[in-house]
Amino acid sequence: MQQNHYDILIFDCLGEVSMSSQTVNTVDDIFDSSLNLEDTHYKEGYSEGYTDGLNSGKDEGNQVGLKTGFEVGEELGFYRGCIEVWNAAILVEPTCFSSRVQKNIKQMDELLRKYPFPDPENESATDTIDSLRLKFRTISATLNIRLEYDGYPKASTIDKSGF
């Protein structure tokens, strides 16, 4: 049986050329590579697409995680600021809030302190932030003030405000 060695040039969709070496055992093997051309290109395309998709998925996941983490941190910072202001008011005038409101402020402070900052994927993080939101609404309603955390203003809000 005669063996021949062939170098095959492969052109991808960008016009880049790569070389593939094949050893052909018979004359029939020369035509097998031509007949399997579609399958070869399909497999190469799938492999490249999978790799590119994996890389872009990681990049997109990183961006979404960064954005979500920032938003959660911003909300927690808002609650920390409210707690600090309320505690400062209590230091200046201990009777400015009822004992019930002071108790709720202390509970909100404890909830914020037990938020799992090092492990945001911890299941208790969602429960803790939900409890913080509820406690914040309770304190705001009891004080009869309208405080809301809306995050950064949306583009439509900026246009309406004149900034």
Side-chain angles (χ1 to χ4, degrees):
M1 180 183 291
Q2 180 183 8
Q3 288 189 344
N4 295 322
H5 183 78
Y6 293 96
D7 290 329
I8 299 172
L9 295 177
I10 300 172
F11 295 89
D12 67 7
C13 62
L14 298 175
E16 296 180 9
V17 179
S18 61
M19 194 171 230
S20 173
S21 295
Q22 293 184 347
T23 302
V24 178
N25 291 329
T26 66
V27 175
D28 291 338
D29 287 341
I30 294 172
F31 299 111
D32 283 347
S33 65
S34 296
L35 295 173
N36 294 328
L37 191 60
E38 181 181 358
D39 188 48
T40 302
H41 285 289
Y42 175 81
K43 288 177 181 175
E44 287 176 8
Y46 177 85
S47 176
E48 288 177 17
Y50 183 84
T51 302
D52 290 348
L54 191 62
N55 290 336
S56 67
K58 286 180 181 178
D59 291 343
E60 185 178 339
N62 188 9
Q63 291 300 317
V64 169
L66 183 63
K67 182 180 182 281
T68 303
F70 182 82
E71 290 170 354
V72 169
E74 184 183 37
E75 183 177 3
L76 294 173
F78 173 78
Y79 295 143
R80 171 56 57 207
C82 290
I83 291 168
E84 294 299 323
V85 167
W86 292 329
N87 282 332
I90 292 169
L91 284 175
V92 172
E93 180 59 47
T95 60
C96 65
F97 301 129
S98 69
S99 61
R100 186 170 125 202
V101 171
Q102 289 184 25
K103 178 183 161 195
N104 283 331
I105 292 170
K106 184 176 179 183
Q107 288 172 345
M108 188 172 172
D109 188 28
E110 290 169 0
L111 281 170
L112 193 57
R113 290 184 192 280
K114 77 174 194 175
Y115 184 84
F117 287 102
D119 186 18
E121 293 181 13
N122 187 329
E123 291 180 20
S124 69
T126 304
D127 295 337
T128 303
I129 202 156
D130 288 343
S131 298
L132 276 165
R133 289 174 182 146
L134 183 62
K135 192 60 72 175
F136 178 76
R137 278 187 251 131
T138 302
I139 294 169
S140 297
T142 305
L143 294 176
N144 201 22
I145 56 174
R146 185 180 169 112
L147 275 178
E148 292 181 10
Y149 173 74
D150 292 327
Y152 275 108
K154 310 293 185 264
S156 60
T157 309
I158 293 171
D159 292 341
K160 292 177 186 173
S161 65
F163 291 110

